[in-house]
Amino acid sequence: MLKFVNVSKRFLGQLALDQINLDIDKGEIVLIKGPSGSGKTTLLKLLLKEHNPDEGEIWWQDVPLQKIKGSKIPQHRRKIGAVFQDYKLLPEMNVWENIALALSILGKSDKEIAQRVTDLLNLVGLPEKAYHFPHQLSGGEAQRIAIARALSTGPELIFADEPTGNLDAKTATSIAKLLQKINQLGTTVLITSHDEVIEKLLQAARQVELDKGKLVKDTGVKKQKKNKV
Amino acid sequence: MNPLNTALTQIRRSPYQSLSAILLLSLTFFVAYLFSSLMIGSEIVLRYFESRPQVIAFFQIQADTTQVEKVLEQMKSKDYVTQVKLVSKEEALQIYQQENKGDPLLLELVTAEILPASIEVSGKSIGDLKQIKADLDQFEQIDEVVLQQDIIDSLGNWTKILRITGISSIGVLATLSFLMMMIVIGMKAVAKRPAIAIMHLIGATRWFIQSPFVFEGIVYAVVSSLLGFVLATALLLYATPYLQNFLGEVATQLFPLSPAFLAIQLSVGSLLGILVGAVAGGLAVGRMIKR
């Protein structure tokens, strides 16, 4: 489903990713861990085509990302549900509108949007917060809404970049459990984190470790399948 | 969430910014409507004055009625001639008698036979008068053609200056409105830069991001245009009696204000505003959007 082949990326001459090879299958849940600056976020940026790799190729659903034209990038991004450490909710929109936004980008009808937003609010357990604005939410609630927005378009992959970075242990656990639940419903989930709570919770999942841009450990597909969460 | 609804929500959620934008633009539209009324009014007045000067041609004393009629018909047939008035020998005598009624000696000496018939020809514009003079000069039966060239030249210069000033003023105002709208919407777009970046990340197209700002520009333009129009028209209606008094005979050409003129003015103003608002909104946000 997603393949990084000898991918390297430099920012201002500094190596952010160094010859990364990674193969993610459909339905997997993968924890990508490593200290700050190890290149975890760069993986997401390359996948969303915010940047292009300097070397190597990224394959998404058997198509190299390099072949996606600039005008087709929005369509590509809609297939990936991105969850960010800082939630990236639109402050001037309420919870309902934030989730509905991704659906209106797809051109869904108002009726369909209403149904889907209601379902997603129920899934993340926050139906009563529909008309709250992001500044009225706690960190955990905001992240749940961000996850709901990422799920709204029905993506095949959820890439959660440090989703618990700003949260306490209890909230982090609930977010990790929510991501596990999403994976169990069939969506491929990639989580980058250096949070021990997450690592403990996902110890049975496939774990990939980055350090200074190099892939230093990959527990592999086989092990992950054996110990499916 | 269609773009218009999103734009209206944006306006509602930043009421002070929107109000100041609308007030600023209303002021521009108010001045633009007043200027356009002034321009069109002065154009009517200029046309009125342009049609006043006449070329006067005096026939030879011996010219008979048939020859006079022939010249009259030929001049009437020309496109650039608006009016041809014949003053026969008898009418010339009446005018002479009227002007010299206090001097019986002068009246006794003059008969219709010794006065020439004449025609007074008006053109559509001042520029046509030279051509009319040239046409009249060609007729053998005409003895003398009178055209006050210095007055005509002076009036022509003034009308030219007024037209250039008016067109330049409207051009400057249109540019100002455009820039003002771009600045106002641009400021809003700058404030929304993080939101624009997020929309990009979740797969929004350029048009999806731009369209609410384009509609916002259109809403500002329409509301401001209406407000500016109402204010300008109210002021003109209030000033009508004073202007009628000041302009005298010319005022009949201008007042009362024609409802058709007002409707056309509002439609053209609003259409231009919509165009300017949409382009300014699109351009302001376009600069923020980088793939």
Side-chain angles (χ1 to χ4, degrees):
Chain A
M1 180 186 210
L2 175 64
K3 208 184 270 186
F4 289 78
V5 183
N6 297 321
V7 171
S8 295
K9 179 68 188 173
R10 283 181 184 79
F11 291 110
L12 300 169
Q14 290 273 70
L15 210 53
L17 287 177
D18 187 7
Q19 297 290 314
I20 298 292
N21 286 289
L22 192 60
D23 196 345
I24 314 277
D25 279 348
K26 198 175 175 185
E28 276 192 275
I29 181 163
V30 181
L31 175 66
I32 302 170
K33 53 185 189 176
S36 296
S38 59
K40 303 187 295 290
T41 302
T42 307
L43 284 178
L44 174 61
K45 287 186 172 173
L46 293 181
L47 180 59
L48 291 176
K49 262 189 93 74
E50 272 193 79
H51 302 290
N52 290 317
D54 295 323
E55 288 166 39
E57 274 191 334
I58 301 168
W59 291 72
W60 165 251
Q61 295 180 326
D62 299 325
V63 177
L65 287 192
Q66 285 88 331
K67 283 202 173 169
I68 296 177
K69 287 180 192 168
S71 59
K72 298 285 175 200
I73 291 175
Q75 283 80 355
H76 164 69
R77 288 180 179 165
R78 290 173 201 169
K79 294 177 194 161
I80 297 158
V83 179
F84 305 90
Q85 182 176 358
D86 56 356
Y87 327 125
K88 293 204 189 299
L89 296 175
L90 274 76
E92 68 276 12
M93 287 186 178
N94 63 31
V95 162
W96 178 281
E97 290 165 342
N98 262 287
I99 302 171
L101 175 70
L103 290 160
S104 24
I105 287 172
L106 292 183
K108 300 285 181 196
S109 67
D110 286 351
K111 195 181 165 191
E112 205 174 337
I113 290 174
Q115 182 60 53
R116 187 108 177 102
V117 174
T118 309
D119 291 346
L120 286 163
L121 282 171
N122 287 328
L123 178 75
V124 298
L126 294 170
E128 74 284 359
K129 301 280 181 180
Y131 299 105
H132 284 58
F133 282 86
H135 69 271
Q136 297 168 316
L137 303 173
S138 69
E141 287 169 341
Q143 195 58 287
R144 280 172 181 273
I145 299 304
I147 292 169
R149 183 184 65 190
L151 281 173
S152 62
T153 55
E156 289 165 60
L157 173 77
I158 291 279
F159 197 133
D161 184 27
E162 299 276 8
T164 58
N166 292 334
L167 307 175
D168 58 69
K170 192 181 163 196
T171 317
T173 307
S174 72
I175 292 291
K177 283 185 174 165
L178 177 62
L179 289 168
Q180 278 182 320
K181 187 175 163 188
I182 290 162
N183 175 248
Q184 282 159 5
L185 292 170
T187 309
T188 310
V189 176
L190 297 189
I191 306 168
T192 74
S193 178
H194 61 275
D195 187 337
E196 283 176 9
V197 177
I198 296 276
E199 203 178 322
K200 215 173 192 177
L201 197 78
L202 297 175
Q203 59 186 331
R206 178 181 174 190
Q207 298 202 355
V208 172
E209 193 171 338
L210 293 176
D211 189 26
K212 291 175 188 166
K214 282 185 190 296
L215 197 153
V216 292
K217 184 182 163 190
D218 184 354
T219 55
V221 182
K222 282 179 186 170
K223 183 183 173 188
Q224 191 270 336
K225 275 181 179 168
K226 220 184 281 173
N227 302 309
K228 190 150 185 171
V229 187
Chain B
M1 281 208 288
N2 69 44
L4 180 60
N5 283 342
T6 312
L8 292 174
T9 309
Q10 278 182 28
I11 292 170
R12 206 180 62 235
R13 286 186 183 161
S14 51
Y16 297 114
Q17 254 182 36
S18 307
L19 188 67
S20 57
I22 286 171
L23 288 179
L24 268 173
L25 292 172
S26 299
L27 188 69
T28 314
F29 274 102
F30 169 70
V31 177
Y33 279 123
L34 274 188
F35 254 87
S36 63
S37 297
L38 188 72
M39 273 301 301
I40 290 162
S42 57
E43 185 66 29
I44 293 169
V45 172
L46 285 176
R47 287 217 180 134
Y48 173 79
F49 280 121
E50 275 184 341
S51 65
R52 293 298 97 185
Q54 293 168 330
V55 183
I56 303 170
F58 293 97
F59 287 91
Q60 289 173 346
I61 300 288
Q62 64 273 24
D64 60 30
T65 317
T66 324
Q67 288 171 319
V68 171
E69 291 287 336
K70 194 179 163 193
V71 172
L72 192 75
E73 288 308 314
Q74 283 196 23
M75 289 312 293
K76 273 184 180 172
S77 66
K78 308 223 180 265
D79 292 342
Y80 43 86
V81 169
T82 53
Q83 198 182 358
V84 183
K85 189 187 169 197
L86 172 68
V87 179
S88 65
K89 283 168 175 275
E90 288 71 27
E91 285 167 332
L93 180 64
Q94 279 175 11
I95 295 168
Y96 181 81
Q97 286 171 339
Q98 185 64 30
E99 284 178 0
N100 298 289
K101 59 185 174 191
D103 195 340
L105 191 63
L106 284 177
L107 296 176
E108 277 175 27
L109 293 171
V110 178
T111 63
E113 286 309 309
I114 63 161
L115 290 175
S118 61
I119 56 168
E120 296 167 1
V121 187
S122 303
K124 279 185 179 166
S125 74
I126 286 174
D128 298 327
L129 296 181
K130 278 185 184 168
Q131 182 59 45
I132 292 170
K133 183 180 184 297
D135 293 341
L136 289 168
D137 274 332
Q138 284 173 355
F139 293 110
E140 280 179 14
Q141 316 77 311
I142 286 176
D143 187 35
E144 191 188 358
V145 180
V146 178
L147 171 65
Q148 288 172 310
Q149 192 62 47
D150 53 341
I151 295 174
I152 303 294
D153 288 347
S154 167
L155 188 57
N157 284 337
W158 276 107
T159 55
K160 204 172 168 184
I161 289 167
L162 272 172
R163 278 185 189 134
I164 291 171
T165 313
I167 290 167
S168 314
S169 311
I170 291 205
V172 168
L173 275 171
T175 313
L176 274 178
S177 315
F178 180 78
L179 290 176
M180 202 175 282
M181 217 164 321
M182 226 176 124
I183 290 167
V184 169
I185 298 173
M187 277 162 61
K188 287 191 122 185
V190 168
K192 286 193 159 228
R193 192 181 257 171
I196 289 172
I198 294 168
M199 284 199 230
H200 259 312
L201 283 176
I202 60 176
T205 56
R206 196 183 171 87
W207 173 242
F208 186 91
I209 297 169
Q210 240 172 345
S211 53
F213 291 97
V214 170
F215 279 93
E216 196 174 338
I218 292 174
V219 170
Y220 286 156
V222 171
V223 175
S224 307
S225 165
L226 279 172
L227 213 59
F229 176 78
V230 168
L231 288 174
T233 309
L235 186 69
L236 271 176
L237 290 174
Y238 177 75
T240 297
Y242 305 101
L243 289 171
Q244 277 175 323
N245 195 29
F246 175 74
L247 292 169
E249 189 197 343
V250 189
T252 54
Q253 309 282 317
L254 300 169
F255 298 105
L257 289 171
S258 141
F261 162 71
L262 293 176
I264 291 170
Q265 192 187 34
L266 177 63
S267 313
V268 171
S270 299
L271 277 176
L272 280 177
I274 286 170
L275 192 72
V276 168
V279 174
L283 282 180
V285 185
R287 288 166 61 219
M288 292 291 122
I289 300 174
K290 282 180 187 163
R291 289 196 184 280

